[in-house]
Amino acid sequence: MSEKPWGGRFESPTDEFVEAFNASTDVDARMYAEDIAGSKAHARMLCEQGILTQEDLNSILRGLDEVLGEIESGEFKFTIALEDVHMNIESQLTKKIGDAGKRLHTARSRNDQVATDTRLYLRSRTDTMIHRIRRLQSVLLTLAGTHADTIMPGFTHLQTAQPVTLGHHLLAYVEMFDRDACRFADARTRMNQCPLGSAALAGTTFNIDRFKTAESLGFDGPTRNSLDSVSDRDFIMELMAAASICAVHLSRFSEELIQWMSAQFNFVDLPDAFCTGSSIMPQKKNPDMPELVRGKSGRIIGGLVAILTTMKGLPLAYNKDMQEDKTAIFDAFDNLEGCLRVFGDMLPGMSVNSEVMHTAASSGFATATDLADALVRAGVPFRDAHEIVGKSVGHCIKAGIELHEMDESACSNIDARLSADMVRLLSVENCVAARNHIGGTAPDQVRKQVAEWNTRLESQHD
Ligand code: ARG
């Protein structure tokens, strides 16, 4: 009984199954460093405010360092009887230093403690995530530069639409990942407020200095409402949303790579080190990494739904339901980080079948819009031009030729305003080169965007 820090008012022990069911150490033990950092900051502040003696502070700091060492060396045994990371560490500290350890919890509660630890932990994980996203962007930029001139079909409805450059296609993902990094950074700013000192829910009767603890833990300042501080999990919802959107981007990219690597597309080949074979079909080389990354988006999105659902009916302030907040976000961060890492490592080894891409872009009448544009330039209204080119495509399908192969008589049979000179100029190279404005697919634009992005990413490193 006496082992439980809250055991005083209880007459019978916790049910054995409940003890295990109630515990969160398997999930929250990973926040040990943040828990210890938070305790040190709290203890220092208590001492500066005259609430704790210098002697007690010294013992606490020394004891916490010892506990930290034990955890990092693997010596420390977390026990479910002590529920969570907070009580495990505090109990070990008290075993080492006695009464001073018992004084550490003055003017705080596990409610503000867990809110603080989780923010601290996720803050550093968010920084790593942003770093990983930026790294993937730089891998994509290198590839985009290499393939500024590589022509492939662009699709809508997965039907050949217009030729684009592979560089341009890859830059689309650079844009998506930029928004992802910005979403994480934005969420980080809002979460960087310190709940410590809010205590259980209402604040504390001691003369604490919340600005001091906030500052020493690298927060921008203390939170302003104690009830909100201990019951707010917006930061988890926001980070989960950012993670889910990023996972969706990776999943779409995965889907494309999987298609591109199929025998039917044959656009790319992924390095052996990132693929696996089949136990029965010897010829198989499967794009397991993009498939798995596509699959991971499911559990990450599931985590977003889980935290939203957990929070939606909770009255203020802390409720035990909130212990469920960490499982999904930790899982999401671990997995998303893994996805970003795999993509960053895999893509430099991807080989591109430029010829196949070029051939695919050159068939399927991908230059039709450009022919219509040429007619418009010759004074034909766009709707008429559309009709004329539509007829031309119909003719080519029957004749088994491409648009640029139509001769003068075929052209004039369709419409007097259509000429062999116009169709002769149709090439996928001309198509992409002509789209030379900001946001367009022209190789010159791709090179320009790559250069601009490289400058932008470099400035983010400073
Ligand atoms: N393990 C708990 C959690 O993760 C810590 C806070 C518990 N507070 C309480 N009053 N039971 O949410």
Side-chain angles (χ1 to χ4, degrees):
M1 281 305 307
S2 56
E3 213 200 332
K4 300 261 188 280
W6 42 254
R9 61 100 66 216
F10 286 77
E11 285 174 7
S12 49
T14 311
D15 175 273
E16 209 181 305
F17 178 72
V18 167
E19 187 157 271
F21 191 66
N22 185 47
S24 58
T25 45
D26 58 335
V27 176
D28 61 28
R30 60 160 85 189
M31 303 196 302
Y32 69 86
E34 289 75 15
D35 193 72
I36 289 172
S39 289
K40 283 180 168 179
H42 180 67
R44 283 200 185 96
M45 179 278 290
L46 289 181
C47 179
E48 281 175 47
Q49 296 298 105
I51 303 164
L52 208 65
T53 64
Q54 185 65 49
E55 207 187 334
D56 281 347
L57 174 65
N58 293 345
S59 320
I60 288 172
L61 296 180
R62 180 179 40 80
L64 285 172
D65 278 336
E66 278 177 38
V67 175
L68 182 66
E70 285 167 16
I71 296 174
E72 289 188 332
S73 71
E75 221 177 291
F76 191 97
K77 293 272 167 289
F78 283 95
T79 156
I80 55 165
L82 289 165
E83 261 183 71
D84 52 29
V85 63
H86 325 292
M87 295 204 294
N88 269 271
I89 290 176
E90 189 190 312
S91 154
Q92 180 70 353
L93 175 72
T94 301
K95 266 190 210 141
K96 286 178 180 300
I97 65 169
D99 279 356
K102 295 189 202 160
R103 294 202 175 95
L104 172 60
H105 212 53
T106 310
R108 80 171 180 188
S109 147
R110 271 188 298 155
N111 297 349
D112 58 342
Q113 197 179 351
V114 71
T116 305
D117 291 4
T118 313
R119 284 170 192 241
L120 282 174
Y121 178 80
L122 289 174
R123 187 176 72 186
S124 81
R125 292 295 303 264
T126 299
D127 290 340
T128 308
M129 195 69 83
I130 294 172
H131 183 77
R132 286 237 173 260
I133 294 174
R134 295 300 183 200
R135 177 171 165 261
L136 176 56
Q137 282 184 302
S138 86
V139 165
L140 287 170
L141 286 174
T142 305
L143 264 183
T146 309
H147 292 287
D149 296 284
T150 305
I151 294 175
M152 62 176 279
F155 301 94
T156 60
H157 313 269
L158 199 55
Q159 307 288 319
T160 301
Q162 290 171 356
V164 294
T165 49
L166 175 57
H168 191 56
H169 194 110
L170 295 170
L171 285 175
Y173 285 99
V174 172
E175 296 289 336
M176 290 179 238
F177 292 129
D178 182 57
R179 292 193 294 273
D180 290 329
C182 292
R183 262 185 285 272
F184 276 114
D186 186 45
R188 185 203 195 280
T189 308
R190 251 187 311 284
M191 94 173 144
N192 202 31
Q193 309 283 327
C194 188
L196 204 57
S198 301
L201 77 164
T204 170
T205 56
F206 292 94
N207 174 33
I208 57 170
D209 185 344
R210 295 192 56 216
F211 287 91
K212 223 169 252 172
T213 37
E215 200 198 330
S216 67
L217 291 168
F219 286 105
D220 295 331
T223 51
R224 284 179 299 264
N225 182 295
S226 63
L227 288 168
D228 181 47
S229 305
V230 293
S231 63
D232 165 34
R233 294 294 183 271
D234 287 7
F235 60 102
I236 296 185
M237 294 187 255
E238 286 192 46
L239 291 173
M240 281 303 299
S244 298
I245 297 171
C246 183
V248 165
H249 293 152
L250 284 163
S251 182
R252 295 181 73 178
F253 197 3
S254 296
E255 172 62 18
E256 296 199 314
L257 293 175
I258 293 160
Q259 284 173 10
W260 293 357
M261 204 179 121
S262 69
Q264 288 68 27
F265 272 84
N266 191 28
F267 282 4
V268 300
D269 196 20
L270 293 174
D272 281 2
F274 295 83
C275 295
T276 65
S278 157
S279 55
I280 175 169
M281 296 166 284
Q283 84 284 11
K284 290 295 287 286
K285 176 173 164 183
N286 298 325
D288 284 40
M289 283 309 101
E291 289 175 73
L292 192 55
V293 168
R294 186 178 56 184
K296 296 279 190 195
S297 65
R299 69 197 282 178
I300 296 172
I301 295 163
L304 170 63
V305 176
I307 183 66
L308 289 169
T309 314
T310 297
M311 294 307 296
K312 79 179 249 311
L314 297 188
L316 301 186
Y318 179 85
N319 299 270
K320 184 75 170 198
D321 316 44
M322 287 156 73
Q323 182 166 287
E324 289 294 309
D325 63 353
K326 290 169 237 30
T327 327
I329 185 95
F330 291 175
D331 183 75
F333 267 55
D334 292 348
N335 280 288
L336 186 60
E337 233 183 271
C339 293
L340 291 163
R341 179 188 169 150
V342 161
F343 263 56
D345 291 349
M346 174 181 72
L347 289 172
M350 178 175 79
S351 62
V352 173
N353 301 330
S354 308
E355 301 260 294
V356 177
M357 281 188 167
H358 191 278
T359 307
S362 308
S363 56
F365 307 103
T367 58
T369 314
D370 290 60
L371 180 55
D373 287 353
L375 284 159
V376 168
R377 269 186 210 100
V380 182
F382 182 77
R383 283 294 158 219
D384 289 354
H386 189 285
E387 172 82 14
I388 294 167
V389 179
K391 283 184 182 148
S392 306
V393 169
H395 166 80
C396 289
I397 290 171
K398 279 196 207 110
I401 57 171
E402 292 294 333
L403 284 170
H404 67 269
E405 292 168 332
M406 279 174 33
D407 60 18
E408 196 57 60
S409 80
C411 289
S412 56
N413 274 346
I414 288 164
D415 196 286
R417 292 167 291 182
L418 184 67
S419 72
D421 282 346
M422 282 176 188
V423 301
R424 208 176 306 123
L425 288 175
L426 294 174
S427 72
V428 289
E429 283 76 12
N430 288 344
C431 279
V432 294
R435 286 164 172 79
N436 194 6
H437 53 77
I438 179 162
T441 194
D444 284 350
Q445 287 297 326
V446 172
R447 277 185 277 272
K448 202 166 160 228
Q449 290 282 337
V450 169
E452 283 177 16
W453 267 115
N454 278 326
T455 315
R456 227 170 278 153
L457 288 190
E458 267 158 36
S459 73
Q460 262 145 9
H461 285 149
D462 311 331

